[in-house]
Amino acid sequence: MAEKLPSYGGQALIEGVLMRGSKTLAAAMRKPDGEIVIETEFLTGIYTNPLAKTPFVRGLIMLWDSLGIGMHYLTVSANMQTGDDEKLEGPALYLTLGLSLAIGIGIFFLAPAGIGHLAMNYLGWTSWWSNVLEGVLRLIFAIGYIWGIGKMPDIARVFGYHGAEHKTINAFEAGAEMTPESVSKFSLEHPRCGTAFLLTLIVLSVIVFAMLGPLPGVWRYVVRLLLIFPLASLAYEMIRFSSNHLSNPLVRLLVKPNLALQHLTTREPSLEMLEVSIAAFQTMLEQEQIQSASTLKLANETA
């Protein structure tokens, strides 16, 4: 069996899959004519810095990874499906990404905080109960949003590639043959999934915000925004810990909601989708091995 990578993950793209290792990444995308195009990239800068392995700091790096690299290749995959006149790039791209991020923060963080604030001011709720209401609404909004967009055909296909990503990683970890037919037999669930991260982040926000007590006016919203990154870092550490201790019965029980939620963000992939995902993973694995060999050769030459 191939040596397992020390760190890797994936992300569904539009008609494609991105696979990331500790040193490289590979994005495989199927063009409208059926051809699979693969782009690779070496991870440098912050990804090779010791901070990338520092607890609680590495979570923020992974968050940047998802927002930065993930959005870049998501845009590349989207543009690959359109004509040159319809490509999203330049100022229009940055404006779209900025608006999407602002809307997401508004819907999932600020709107629930505002409703909780109204319940406290006009319904006479205590700050504790208004904060609990805020957290419950945040969870409902997130699940409802995921369920709703999953009904859209284009997003359903992205969720199919998400399922292909999970099955590919599960097959690799099991040492199975990396063919679409073999990989298709594996589970859609994976404990390191971004969906698990999202649910953990929301649950943490419910607990932490409920403990904050009453905050005057605008500070209720400012504090929520300031705590997004510390909570994201803590959520990452919890996901990392749980995925490394799945042999513990209590840990397996605690991750069940995370695994269950993944059925909203994954679909059973076709063999063609699995072919793309496997191509991305195998290319990333090959690039990891090449990079490791180059690093070892350089070390021997300078020793």
Side-chain angles (χ1 to χ4, degrees):
M1 186 181 73
E3 182 182 355
K4 291 188 177 181
L5 299 178
S7 174
Y8 58 87
Q11 176 181 324
L13 304 174
I14 297 175
E15 298 300 327
V17 173
L18 180 150
M19 291 290 187
R20 185 186 60 77
S22 60
K23 302 179 182 68
T24 63
L25 65 80
M29 299 156 282
R30 192 181 293 278
K31 295 172 63 176
D33 63 7
E35 178 189 0
I36 297 177
V37 176
I38 303 177
E39 294 191 8
T40 61
E41 179 180 336
F42 289 115
L43 298 175
T44 57
I46 189 63
Y47 303 101
T48 58
N49 191 290
L51 288 175
K53 297 182 179 179
T54 304
F56 297 102
V57 176
R58 59 193 174 193
L60 297 179
I61 294 175
M62 291 302 104
L63 181 60
W64 173 255
D65 177 45
S66 297
L67 293 176
I69 290 180
M71 290 306 301
H72 168 71
Y73 282 98
L74 192 62
T75 304
V76 170
S77 66
N79 286 338
M80 191 170 291
Q81 303 303 314
T82 64
D84 292 336
D85 296 336
E86 301 177 27
K87 286 186 177 181
L88 187 62
E89 55 190 2
L93 170 62
Y94 298 123
L95 178 61
T96 300
L97 295 179
L99 286 175
S100 300
L101 182 60
I103 291 172
I105 292 175
I107 292 176
F108 301 120
F109 277 88
L110 299 185
I115 295 173
H117 194 202
L118 291 175
M120 185 172 61
N121 287 348
Y122 294 100
L123 299 179
W125 289 26
T126 65
S127 62
W128 190 87
W129 279 112
S130 72
N131 287 338
V132 170
L133 172 65
E134 172 190 341
V136 171
L137 288 174
R138 183 171 293 115
L139 183 60
I140 292 173
F141 286 178
I143 294 177
Y145 174 79
I146 293 171
W147 176 84
I149 64 173
K151 298 297 182 181
M152 303 168 60
D154 288 344
I155 300 301
R157 284 195 62 82
V158 174
F159 286 176
Y161 280 101
H162 189 195
E165 174 223 325
H166 282 194
K167 284 176 177 281
T168 300
I169 292 176
N170 284 329
F172 171 75
E173 291 178 338
E177 183 182 10
M178 300 299 283
T179 64
E181 292 76 14
S182 173
V183 172
S184 67
K185 299 181 176 67
F186 286 83
S187 174
L188 288 171
E189 300 174 352
H190 197 282
R192 291 195 302 273
C193 175
T195 308
F197 169 81
L198 175 63
L199 181 58
T200 303
L201 175 60
I202 292 174
V203 172
L204 283 175
S205 72
V206 173
I207 297 172
V208 173
F209 294 164
M211 297 170 58
L212 289 177
L215 293 172
V218 71
W219 281 105
R220 182 183 182 100
Y221 307 98
V222 172
V223 169
R224 265 66 175 172
L225 292 175
L226 292 177
L227 286 177
I228 289 177
F229 291 108
L231 287 175
S233 181
L234 179 57
Y236 174 81
E237 295 300 328
M238 293 179 67
I239 294 297
R240 186 183 179 95
F241 176 85
S242 63
S243 64
N244 290 331
H245 295 83
L246 288 176
S247 59
N248 186 301
L250 178 59
V251 173
R252 289 202 303 272
L253 179 63
L254 291 175
V255 301
K256 280 186 177 298
N258 285 340
L259 297 178
L261 188 62
Q262 291 177 29
H263 288 276
L264 287 179
T265 62
T266 59
R267 299 288 186 275
E268 279 293 336
S270 65
L271 294 180
E272 289 75 17
M273 291 177 176
L274 288 169
E275 182 184 10
V276 173
S277 182
I278 293 169
F281 190 88
Q282 289 183 325
T283 300
M284 179 272 294
L285 184 59
E286 291 170 1
Q287 293 299 311
E288 288 279 299
Q289 294 169 342
I290 292 173
Q291 186 71 358
S292 295
S294 298
T295 301
L296 180 61
K297 180 180 179 180
L298 181 63
N300 291 334
E301 290 176 349
T302 56

